[in-house]
């Protein structure tokens, strides 16, 4: 059974940082693209960042470029999202996603609140 478990969410002041982690189990981790999505209150889900299985291709949503960094540790089945210079627009539930071809899996989400 495939499981993706996010951690690291919480509340932070504007300008602060958080590091989200996603631990995967039950899949050939290094064959999956790993992605972070977020869903802001009342808005559609949006893709924030993606990293290929080997970590050699990385993509970011324009609004997070230069502030967020995605990374993975294939030996530990982990993917991270380092989020710096957070602002209120980053408030959302963040979801980890594993994607390969027509198959994808989702975590349960972790909430990030940026507020003074």
């Amino acid at each position: 059974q495939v499981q993706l478990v996010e951690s690291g969410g919480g509340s932070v002041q504007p300008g602060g940082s958080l590091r989200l982690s996603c631990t995967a189990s039950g899949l050939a981790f290094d064959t999956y693209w790993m992605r972070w999505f977020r869903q802001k209150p009342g808005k559609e889900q949006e893709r924030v960042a993606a990293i290929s299985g080997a970590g050699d291709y990385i993509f970011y949503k324009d609004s997070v470029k230069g502030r967020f960094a995605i990374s993975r540790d294939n030996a530990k089945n982990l993917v991270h999202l380092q989020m710096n210079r957070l602002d209120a627009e980053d408030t959302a539930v963040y979801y980890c996603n594993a994607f390969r071809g027509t198959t994808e899996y989702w975590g349960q989400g972790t909430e990030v609140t940026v507020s003074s």
Side-chain angles (χ1 to χ4, degrees):
Q1 182 181 359
V2 175
Q3 281 194 308
L4 302 177
V5 180
E6 300 99 334
S7 61
S11 295
V12 64
Q13 292 188 336
S17 298
L18 283 174
R19 189 190 195 207
L20 305 184
S21 297
C22 173
T23 303
S25 60
L27 76 171
F29 184 71
D30 61 355
T31 69
Y32 282 78
W33 278 79
M34 296 303 296
R35 304 184 292 187
W36 286 97
F37 287 76
R38 68 185 180 190
Q39 188 161 21
K40 300 178 185 181
K43 299 288 182 65
E44 298 270 323
Q45 192 179 62
E46 57 186 11
R47 189 181 68 186
V48 175
I51 186 168
S52 61
D56 48 355
Y57 292 96
I58 290 176
F59 298 97
Y60 295 104
K61 179 178 175 59
D62 283 347
S63 62
V64 309
K65 283 180 181 176
R67 299 189 300 123
F68 290 12
I70 189 171
S71 61
R72 66 189 296 158
D73 183 341
N74 286 345
K76 297 180 180 178
N77 284 16
L78 277 170
V79 60
H80 301 291
L81 185 68
Q82 178 67 43
M83 305 188 296
N84 300 322
R85 304 201 314 272
L86 286 161
D87 62 39
E89 285 298 305
D90 298 314
T91 293
V93 178
Y94 285 73
Y95 297 90
C96 177
N97 169 275
F99 169 76
R100 185 182 71 184
T102 58
T103 301
E104 64 180 343
Y105 302 100
W106 292 90
Q108 81 289 350
T110 185
E111 191 164 356
V112 171
T113 302
V114 185
S115 173
S116 55

